[in-house]
Amino acid sequence: LADACIAAGLVRGAGTCPAVTAGLGSSAEDISTFRSSVLNVAGGRNNDLERWSGDVRADWRPAEDMAFIVSGGRNLSASSVDLTGLGAGQVVDWAYNYLQARALVGSMFAQVFFNQSESSDTYLLRSGRPLIDRSSLLVGQLQNQTQWGATNLTYGADALRTVPRTDGTINGRNEDDDEITEIGGYLQTQTDLTPKFDLNLAARVDYHSILEDPVFSPRAAIVFQPVVGQNFRATYNRAFSTPSTLNLFLDISGGSIPLPAGLRYDVRAQGTTADGLHFRYGDNGLPMHRNPFAQFAGRSPAVYQETSAAVLWEEIAAVVALQNPQLGNFMASLSPTDSDITVEARTLDIQSQMFLPTPGGIQGITDISRVAPSITNTFEVGYKGLLGDRLLLGANVYHTLIDDYTSALRISTPNVFLNRADVEAYLIANGLDPATAAGAAVAIGGDGTAANPGLPIGVVTPIEAGGSDPALVLTYRNLGRVELFGADATATLILHPLWEATVGGAWVSDDTFTANEGQATEEDIPLNAPTLKGTAALRYRNTESGLTGQVRARVVNGFPANSAVYAGDVEGYGVVDLTLGYRIAALRDLTLTLDVSNVLNTGYQTFVGSPELGRFALVRMVYEF
């Protein structure tokens, strides 16, 4: 199968495997990727779930206030199907290794750890593309505490070095320029203002090697304890999320969209790079496009073309001539201007499977900025307290503002179309009979339905996009400000020395938010999480007999989801879980535990594209030396 597909696929556009050939050239490296992709597609999907893990740890405590700890481990996912931004991925022997060394000397804490990914056989199920990942993360941290009068000071520093190694399969053309260094420092104070009031202040500054400016993150909290066991607090926290290596350096084909005449568009996931993504602009000031149909007009699909009615008309006339030479030749004899036929920009919406009008049209297309840090400001008030000696309550209410909210992967390159009504009127005005003109106009510009959106003649693609085919690029965008309110509460009641009951719930104000409200680029963003969820549990614990148990009910309401290629509605669900544990009396350090999730075997999904979950049982045996 691989040899046959390769033999056909090396002739561009003539192969029988368009999904795996999209975006590939004819270099030895591309052919190797091609062969691996075909074999992976032939291998198909393995739904078996197999995971192994092991770790070792050694502690040395030479003094009461001194400890040195070394640990390491390996987690291996031998087989699973995981979600990625380009569809499901078949995980094959993907390992994650770590080493960690910690030291505690008095009030000082220091640690260094090294994490490494190890994968060579994992692949995307849609296209078979291999996902090789030998990336590593090296982190060093140092923290100390000291007392200064009534104030306790905590200060420290962190340093992180991320080194992606994907052999070009994930980071593509960015492979040699994708390392990130992050350095941060912080100071935290805790001051007893009065016997009942505490003031906590903190601030940290972080440097990111790809960003021009450091990120400043302050925090403040005041805590009021009127009596022992009662605690009120009000906090402000500013947190940040810096761009990941995928946000910046991702560069991989996820397959292709087939077109007439054996052509295709590459579907490509692309990070914004350190400098952003830029479009090429023509003499008319509009962003230029690449067109798989250009070869029929004697031009290369890899070359950027001016986005004008005249150029698009010439390219589409050549395509029409393949099936209707008379009509195609008639169209080729004409040369419309932009005032004759409007050039439209429409962007493919994965959720609706429709090409929707691009905000601002062709003129509204602008370069895509590098992903900026998302800044989260949260104001929160909360309470935690013991009422009597049996009821423990906790409650929080918060207001969150997220600036420069970072989207999931999303198609950000509009396709260009010719306006149907203008095409029909232009053809009639130049002597074509109305019936033929109407049919040609619908074939070219569509009829406004999802079944016939018209012909996406070209795609406005940034010059940084990898691959050799015209590409619809999915990338990450900052989507302005997101605002939400939320609350959560829990209550635990001691029914008996052996029995306790807990109920809890959480609420978020919205499951969909409007970003860039009032602007031309306004759009709705799903939270990708439920607005309501709750739990209720009954627990039993008998330390003398060694028997423990819990019955827990979980309920979650439905919500809309849209993350990369996963779009749709997640239905609400309710499940019951059971946990039983027993410490064997004759062997005090041996405990057996049975965890059963979804005891009633109610099928449910936690997200679009994830498998339906049923009953899951896990038996654990723990022996403490």
Side-chain angles (χ1 to χ4, degrees):
L1 173 63
D3 290 338
C5 192
I6 290 171
L10 287 179
V11 181
R12 306 297 296 166
T16 58
C17 304
V20 300
T21 61
L24 289 175
S26 57
S27 68
E29 183 178 353
D30 284 337
I31 293 174
S32 175
T33 298
F34 187 6
R35 181 180 293 276
S36 298
S37 300
V38 175
L39 294 176
N40 288 336
V41 169
R45 176 189 294 258
N46 179 9
N47 288 320
D48 292 345
L49 178 64
E50 181 182 353
R51 294 181 179 176
W52 297 84
S53 63
D55 59 78
V56 61
R57 167 173 162 164
D59 289 37
W60 179 45
R61 294 184 172 86
E64 289 187 3
D65 63 345
M66 186 179 300
F68 300 94
I69 304 167
V70 178
S71 59
R74 178 179 176 87
N75 298 298
L76 174 68
S77 180
S79 175
S80 68
V81 177
D82 289 357
L83 304 185
T84 79
L86 289 172
Q90 182 66 58
V91 176
V92 180
D93 293 335
W94 193 315
Y96 196 73
N97 308 309
Y98 77 91
L99 292 171
Q100 182 184 40
R102 288 174 285 170
L104 297 93
V105 180
S107 61
M108 187 192 73
F109 168 77
Q111 76 166 340
V112 59
F113 61 86
F114 178 76
N115 297 339
Q116 183 183 41
S117 180
E118 184 182 310
S119 171
S120 58
D121 298 320
T122 296
Y123 56 92
L124 293 173
L125 279 167
R126 287 188 174 188
S127 64
R129 290 298 179 90
L131 300 176
I132 298 173
D133 190 0
R134 302 187 183 94
S135 305
S136 62
L137 171 68
L138 178 64
V139 177
Q141 296 177 315
L142 183 66
Q143 178 180 288
N144 198 12
Q145 292 185 354
T146 187
Q147 194 70 27
W148 185 42
T151 300
N152 180 269
L153 296 176
T154 302
Y155 51 93
D158 311 306
L160 299 83
R161 178 68 172 171
T162 304
V163 181
R165 290 289 181 267
T166 72
D167 291 2
T169 63
I170 299 175
N171 287 1
R173 60 168 60 183
N174 301 316
E175 185 70 37
D176 297 329
D177 189 27
D178 55 3
E179 298 181 3
I180 294 176
T181 299
E182 299 170 86
I183 301 174
Y186 58 90
L187 172 66
Q188 177 177 315
T189 68
Q190 179 179 349
T191 304
D192 297 330
L193 299 178
T194 72
K196 296 184 177 181
F197 282 94
D198 291 341
L199 177 65
N200 297 330
L201 300 174
R204 66 174 295 141
V205 177
D206 288 88
Y207 161 82
H208 190 287
S209 60
I210 305 300
L211 307 178
E212 292 90 353
D213 301 318
V215 182
F216 176 63
S217 305
R219 183 181 183 192
I222 188 165
V223 181
F224 173 53
Q225 188 175 10
V227 295
V228 176
Q230 304 289 322
N231 184 299
F232 297 87
R233 67 186 182 280
T235 65
Y236 162 73
N237 185 61
R238 186 176 190 264
F240 69 94
S241 176
T242 52
S244 67
T245 55
L246 290 180
N247 292 153
L248 295 168
F249 304 119
L250 180 65
D251 180 20
I252 182 174
S253 172
S256 63
I257 295 178
L259 296 169
L263 305 179
R264 59 177 173 251
Y265 280 118
D266 184 17
V267 178
R268 193 164 201 88
Q270 184 85 37
T272 60
T273 77
D275 302 312
L277 302 178
H278 305 85
F279 297 105
R280 182 167 292 169
Y281 295 86
D283 293 337
N284 59 0
L286 298 179
M288 301 175 75
H289 70 282
R290 293 172 65 193
N291 187 353
F293 302 111
Q295 59 185 288
F296 299 121
R299 293 191 285 266
S300 170
V303 175
Y304 285 87
Q305 311 291 337
E306 186 172 87
T307 304
S308 66
V311 172
L312 296 175
W313 184 267
E314 181 183 358
E315 293 169 344
I316 202 66
V319 176
V320 172
L322 296 176
Q323 296 187 351
N324 189 331
Q326 184 177 1
L327 178 58
N329 291 334
F330 171 75
M331 291 177 59
S333 69
L334 306 175
S335 183
T337 65
D338 290 343
S339 60
D340 294 322
I341 300 178
T342 302
V343 177
E344 298 179 341
R346 305 179 201 166
T347 303
L348 179 62
D349 178 72
I350 294 177
Q351 183 169 11
S352 66
Q353 297 295 302
M354 295 181 64
F355 284 94
L356 303 180
T358 303
I362 291 288
Q363 293 78 8
I365 300 174
T366 58
D367 292 344
I368 300 171
S369 300
R370 181 197 59 219
V371 173
S374 293
I375 305 298
T376 301
N377 292 279
T378 300
F379 303 86
E380 179 178 340
V381 293
Y383 165 79
K384 187 174 183 179
L386 182 65
L387 302 181
D389 56 0
R390 292 187 172 224
L391 180 62
L392 178 66
L393 295 177
N396 302 282
V397 178
Y398 60 87
H399 175 216
T400 295
L401 293 171
I402 306 175
D403 290 311
D404 287 324
Y405 178 86
T406 302
S407 72
L409 280 173
R410 51 194 292 131
I411 292 181
S412 299
T413 50
N415 285 86
V416 290
F417 296 76
L418 293 178
N419 178 270
R420 182 200 62 79
D422 290 350
V423 169
E424 181 177 358
Y426 181 75
L427 289 173
I428 293 175
N430 283 273
L432 194 64
D433 66 274
T436 304
V442 169
I444 295 171
D447 58 9
T449 67
N452 184 11
L455 197 60
I457 306 171
V459 59
V460 180
T461 305
I463 58 179
E464 290 85 1
S468 57
D469 290 313
L472 275 67
V473 173
L474 294 92
T475 192
Y476 305 92
R477 305 288 291 266
N478 290 121
L479 300 179
R481 169 170 286 192
V482 167
E483 181 177 13
L484 60 91
F485 296 86
D488 59 76
T490 59
T492 300
L493 178 63
I494 308 299
L495 302 172
H496 181 273
L498 303 180
W499 293 88
E500 67 180 37
T502 299
V503 294
W507 164 82
V508 178
S509 56
D510 297 288
D511 58 20
T512 303
F513 306 94
T514 300
N516 302 323
E517 191 166 1
Q519 303 178 28
T521 55
E522 178 179 300
E523 62 179 295
D524 292 331
I525 306 168
L527 179 64
N528 290 334
T531 57
L532 290 171
K533 53 185 178 181
T535 61
L538 179 64
R539 285 188 289 270
Y540 173 82
R541 184 183 297 108
N542 190 325
T543 55
E544 293 185 1
S545 68
L547 183 64
T548 61
Q550 174 179 275
V551 177
R552 182 180 65 168
R554 295 178 286 136
V555 293
V556 172
N557 73 332
F559 58 92
N562 191 342
S563 179
V565 298
Y566 301 100
D569 293 319
V570 179
E571 296 184 359
Y573 60 88
V575 296
V576 177
D577 306 323
L578 174 66
T579 300
L580 295 174
Y582 180 63
R583 181 180 288 271
I584 299 176
L587 299 169
R588 292 179 48 214
D589 297 319
L590 178 64
T591 302
L592 299 177
T593 305
L594 170 66
D595 287 317
V596 183
S597 298
N598 193 9
V599 174
L600 303 180
N601 201 30
T602 304
Y604 69 98
Q605 285 180 285
T606 57
F607 203 77
V608 176
S610 65
E612 184 177 275
L613 300 178
R615 183 184 300 114
F616 177 76
L618 176 67
V619 177
R620 290 179 294 164
M621 180 176 67
V622 177
Y623 184 80
E624 298 179 3
F625 293 92

